[in-house]
Amino acid sequence: MSRVYNFSAGPAVLPEEVLREAAAEMLDYNGTGMSVMEMSHRSSAFAEIIENAEYDIRDLLSIPDNYRVLFLQGGASQQFAMIPMNLMKNRVADFIITGQWAKKAYSEAKLYGTANAVASSADKTFSYIPDCSDLPISENADYVYICENNTIYGTKFHTLPNTKGKDLVADVSSCFLSEPMDISKYALVYGGVQKNVGPAGTVIVIIRDDLITEDVLPGTPTMLRYKTHADAKSLYNTPPAYGIYICGKVFKWLKSRGGLEAMKEYNEKKAAILYDFLDNNNMFRGTVVPADRSIMNVPFVTGSEELDAKFVKEASAAGFVNLKGHRTVGGMRASIYNAMPIEGVQKLVEFMAKFEAENR
Ligand SMILES: *Cc1c(COP(=O)(O)O)cnc(C)c1O
């Protein structure tokens, strides 16, 4: 068996310890004689799995008591519709457009009401976060929406926007559990887990409980109402059981590593190794305004498409895989999520230096 350094943006690298544990429990989970994939979601064994998962994520993020944690399906993209269906009481929402994922959420919200783009960084290929200290927030906006970490472009909101008292909704898919966050500053936070937390198929929604009401847009399907899932404790129908089980293991792994403060420190250290190299060599450069850099997704280019392609190919052959950038940015992107060990980043940088020397 040989594991590669997987820099994929998602689905992405998971902690090896978690994968080994899951493998060991594959045929017989905790004396049940069956896999978690095979057990009833109403069984006591599964009840313990989902209850522990909720306990641990609450603990990790210090989630206040007036917020509910929901384990849902449909990926992050289903939230693009579910959020307006449930929260757009006045049928108005404001969006800050910092990339493809924010744009998709914005377009979807237009199906349900008036979606206003109150700021955008499209003018410079989303390479920065706009100044959000004094935006023209709509008087009757139900919420202000951001994509907090832009997976494709490698930017992150290091300061939350001034929403002028309006509820803030954030897609945190690609920075979820990479550092502590103050949940009380948000009305709703959600993340597709396949970026930094678990296997595709599960999305975690953290929502303030006053927003969980019967007052949703007409025609909202039962399955797309937050209240349905909150009332049933995420067991209205068969939940993404195996995904929740793996997420639970990742939560335990994060706690064993010292929690989110420690993860933040580790992630910053990893990102600094890569950014320092990008800032100090003569072949590669980052594509993002330094102040807005993400510590999870790091896009970079050589300036030559030919050289980019050569680098991606040779890196892959050397065991550094999935470094090709998104087609709208070109070049390369290294996603260095929680489970990417620091050695992976160090060795990548050594490889880049070697490539530079050989291709000068
Ligand atoms: C990947 C991603 C999505 C889409 O996730 P799906 O689960 O495939 O729908 C949405 N937002 C962000 C920030 C992402 O990185």
Side-chain angles (χ1 to χ4, degrees):
M1 185 200 70
S2 98
R3 300 265 301 164
V4 292
Y5 287 116
N6 181 6
F7 293 93
S8 170
V13 58
L14 287 169
E16 202 171 301
E17 295 91 324
V18 166
L19 297 176
R20 284 184 193 284
E21 259 183 51
E25 292 172 349
M26 183 59 77
L27 297 181
D28 178 5
Y29 172 74
N30 204 16
T32 58
M34 64 180 89
S35 156
V36 173
M37 260 181 271
E38 302 169 297
M39 67 177 52
S40 166
H41 57 295
R42 311 274 176 212
S43 65
S44 60
F46 189 73
E48 200 181 322
I49 288 170
I50 193 168
E51 282 163 19
N52 282 338
E54 177 168 350
Y55 176 86
D56 286 330
I57 192 176
R58 282 190 172 278
D59 198 22
L60 281 166
L61 283 167
S62 304
I63 299 175
D65 288 344
N66 63 325
Y67 284 75
R68 297 294 301 269
V69 177
L70 308 176
F71 296 96
L72 307 179
Q73 312 191 43
S77 299
Q78 184 155 283
Q79 294 306 308
F80 299 166
M82 208 163 158
I83 290 163
M85 283 174 154
N86 286 267
L87 266 51
M88 233 187 200
K89 319 278 184 205
N90 298 323
R91 296 202 185 234
V92 178
D94 289 351
F95 287 75
I96 299 169
I97 312 293
T98 52
Q100 302 267 353
W101 296 120
K103 215 154 82 182
K104 282 196 171 167
Y106 165 66
S107 303
E108 190 74 5
K110 283 185 173 173
L111 299 174
Y112 304 98
T114 306
N116 303 304
V118 291
S120 167
S121 51
D123 60 335
K124 290 183 182 155
T125 328
F126 302 115
S127 58
Y128 69 103
I129 297 290
D131 177 0
C132 296
S133 57
D134 185 17
L135 297 173
I137 302 294
S138 310
E139 198 125 334
N140 53 349
D142 294 300
Y143 55 90
V144 176
Y145 182 101
I146 62 168
C147 177
E148 191 158 328
N149 185 80
N150 296 281
T151 325
I152 295 172
Y153 300 95
T155 58
K156 160 111 206 278
F157 281 84
H158 294 294
T159 309
L160 292 177
N162 174 3
T163 63
K164 304 188 173 170
K166 301 297 182 192
D167 279 339
L168 178 64
V169 172
D171 174 356
V172 297
S173 296
S174 50
C175 57
F176 208 17
L177 306 182
S178 64
E179 57 183 292
M181 60 193 293
D182 181 354
I183 295 293
S184 70
K185 291 191 170 145
Y186 305 80
L188 186 154
V189 166
Y190 74 95
V193 304
Q194 76 273 26
K195 304 295 160 67
N196 203 23
V197 184
T202 305
V203 56
I204 298 175
V205 175
I206 303 169
I207 177 172
R208 211 176 57 222
D209 57 15
D210 61 281
L211 296 168
I212 303 171
T213 67
E214 314 246 0
D215 178 23
V216 297
L217 297 189
T220 300
T222 307
M223 269 295 284
L224 298 187
R225 296 169 186 229
Y226 291 122
K227 190 166 191 321
T228 301
H229 299 286
D231 287 352
K233 299 191 158 156
S234 302
L235 294 170
Y236 168 72
N237 70 325
T238 319
Y242 199 78
I244 294 167
Y245 157 75
I246 298 290
C247 287
K249 286 200 178 296
V250 171
F251 301 157
K252 291 249 186 276
W253 178 81
L254 289 167
K255 289 173 90 168
S256 77
R257 302 272 311 237
L260 301 189
E261 280 294 349
M263 267 340 285
K264 178 184 170 124
E265 204 177 301
Y266 189 66
N267 287 329
E268 282 176 342
K269 213 152 100 187
K270 280 190 290 181
I273 294 170
L274 192 44
Y275 284 124
D276 284 351
F277 178 78
L278 291 174
D279 291 343
N280 292 299
N281 83 98
N282 296 315
M283 179 174 282
F284 301 95
R285 64 176 173 82
T287 57
V288 167
V289 168
D292 300 326
R293 283 170 167 173
S294 164
I295 57 168
M296 294 280 100
N297 310 98
V298 183
F300 56 96
V301 294
T302 62
S304 148
E305 274 180 38
E306 220 171 286
L307 213 50
D308 287 351
K310 184 165 192 259
F311 175 78
V312 169
K313 193 166 163 232
E314 291 183 13
S316 182
F320 307 100
V321 309
N322 291 322
L323 280 166
K324 194 173 178 340
H326 193 268
R327 63 186 187 281
T328 59
V329 188
M332 285 69 71
R333 170 179 48 174
S335 295
I336 49 175
Y337 297 120
N338 284 340
M340 172 57 65
I342 199 161
E343 300 76 35
V345 180
Q346 281 159 344
K347 286 185 184 161
L348 172 65
V349 163
E350 283 164 26
F351 181 82
M352 289 166 78
K354 182 166 146 274
F355 184 88
E356 186 192 356
E358 288 169 356
N359 293 275
R360 229 187 305 263

